[in-house]
Amino acid sequence: MSSFPASADRVRDAGLASRDRLLALRECVLCFQPYGFRATWHHLIVSADVPRNLDDDPRSLTRAVDELEEARLVWRAQSEDYEARRRREKAAGRRDASRADNWRTWAGLVAYCPDLEKHPTERLVVVVRRVIAAYESGVDPLKTCRACGTQVTADTPCPDCGVDPAGPTANRPEIRVRTSFRWRAVWRRTAR
Ligand SMILES: [Zn+2]
């Protein structure tokens, strides 16, 4: 898999064919996908208003990668702070990471949405910041949605914003089956 920065450069390269720029955006989302791949993709396409015919608005791809990169920088700053803290803890003899920090190991997949079309609609960086703050405050994510603050239960995604309280390891086959046929239309940008 190519790196995020190299792929982001390709998305912004106006000299490349639009289709290649779209595939580079796909690489970026494979690297950083706060809602999971499909829901993050759907969010960016809608939010940047990427048209069915890419050449109608080639700059839309730049808007999409800008939004994703902005959120990724916030995530990375958090990760770097955490890694520095862990190094200090290890030096002080604390080998095991706290279980409360498990979410930091999810590679940025901090607000998994099993239904690709139901996810928060605010700018990605706003949601990623709020989710990080919710985790760091110690609020129980199985009771309070870490993305929107709604009261939730562990057995179903948040009814308001679609984020799964159980995180990326939640198994929701019924939702995947119900929504996966929509993916084709989303990928072709024939559906919003
Ligand atoms: Zn929510």
Side-chain angles (χ1 to χ4, degrees):
M1 192 191 294
S2 38
S3 75
F4 187 100
S7 298
D9 286 348
R10 287 176 60 79
V11 177
R12 296 186 176 108
D13 185 345
L16 291 178
S18 302
R19 177 78 188 167
D20 291 337
R21 296 175 60 209
L22 182 78
L23 293 177
L25 178 64
R26 180 175 173 276
E27 291 297 318
C28 291
V29 179
L30 286 170
C31 291
F32 181 65
Q33 41 180 277
Y35 303 151
F37 178 78
R38 288 181 171 185
T40 304
W41 183 265
H42 179 258
H43 171 78
L44 292 174
I45 295 302
V46 171
S47 136
D49 203 12
V50 179
R52 174 158 162 66
N53 179 1
L54 298 173
D55 292 325
D56 288 348
D57 184 6
R59 282 197 52 79
S60 62
L61 295 170
T62 304
R63 292 196 294 273
V65 80
D66 285 351
E67 180 174 354
L68 185 64
E69 184 176 60
E70 179 186 37
R72 180 173 175 269
L73 289 174
V74 167
W75 170 257
R76 278 183 55 85
Q78 168 286 130
S79 297
E80 282 158 16
D81 288 351
Y82 174 64
E83 282 157 22
R85 170 155 70 81
R86 280 298 294 147
R87 278 194 296 274
R88 288 195 300 275
E89 287 174 354
K90 281 182 185 167
R94 267 196 55 200
R95 306 302 303 173
D96 299 329
S98 160
R99 281 178 60 193
D101 285 326
N102 276 352
W103 61 277
R104 299 185 197 268
T105 65
W106 295 342
L109 210 173
V110 281
Y112 175 60
C113 300
D115 178 341
L116 71 148
E117 289 171 298
K118 185 159 174 66
H119 48 73
T121 54
E122 293 161 282
R123 198 166 170 86
L124 212 40
V125 69
V126 172
V127 180
V128 167
R129 273 209 191 96
R130 198 184 300 135
V131 166
I132 292 172
Y135 272 118
E136 290 184 336
S137 75
V139 167
D140 184 351
L142 297 180
K143 293 193 176 133
T144 305
C145 175
R146 55 201 183 277
C148 76
T150 295
Q151 295 306 110
V152 290
T153 64
D155 11 284
T156 182
C158 173
D160 284 355
C161 76
V163 169
D164 202 314
T169 55
N171 189 19
R172 310 278 185 209
E174 72 292 351
I175 296 178
R176 271 199 76 83
V177 168
R178 176 159 55 76
T179 61
S180 62
F181 80 99
R182 297 281 302 157
W183 171 245
R184 206 173 153 81
V186 168
W187 175 253
R188 293 175 156 189
R189 300 171 308 285
T190 52
R192 281 292 192 266

